[in-house]
Amino acid sequence: MADMFTDLLIYIGIGVITFAIGMVLGYQLLVMHYTKRFLVVAKECSDADSVVPLVDELARES
């Protein structure tokens, strides 16, 4: 019985660690993606000398 409880704790620990790693990696990937999108939209706004590309991006994202 003690071995089964120990195994259960190990599996729960592995699950928690896997979940935490997934959350951190997902967050980092989203930050990288939206930072890149922001730079592209900022360049478009600079080239067009208006905020229309920003408004279009906001409409596309919502």
Side-chain angles (χ1 to χ4, degrees):
M1 183 70 173
D3 290 334
M4 195 165 75
F5 184 68
T6 303
D7 291 344
L8 179 64
L9 287 176
I10 290 171
Y11 288 134
I12 290 172
I14 290 171
V16 168
I17 290 170
T18 304
F19 178 77
I21 290 171
M23 291 294 287
V24 169
L25 287 176
Y27 174 77
Q28 290 298 321
L29 288 173
L30 282 174
V31 166
M32 285 172 34
H33 170 74
Y34 283 108
T35 299
K36 185 174 145 185
R37 278 302 307 151
F38 174 76
L39 291 176
V40 168
V41 171
K43 178 71 173 139
E44 289 173 5
C45 287
S46 175
D47 292 343
D49 199 25
S50 108
V51 294
V52 173
L54 181 61
V55 173
D56 291 342
E57 180 69 20
L58 289 172
R60 192 175 21 234
E61 284 294 320
S62 57

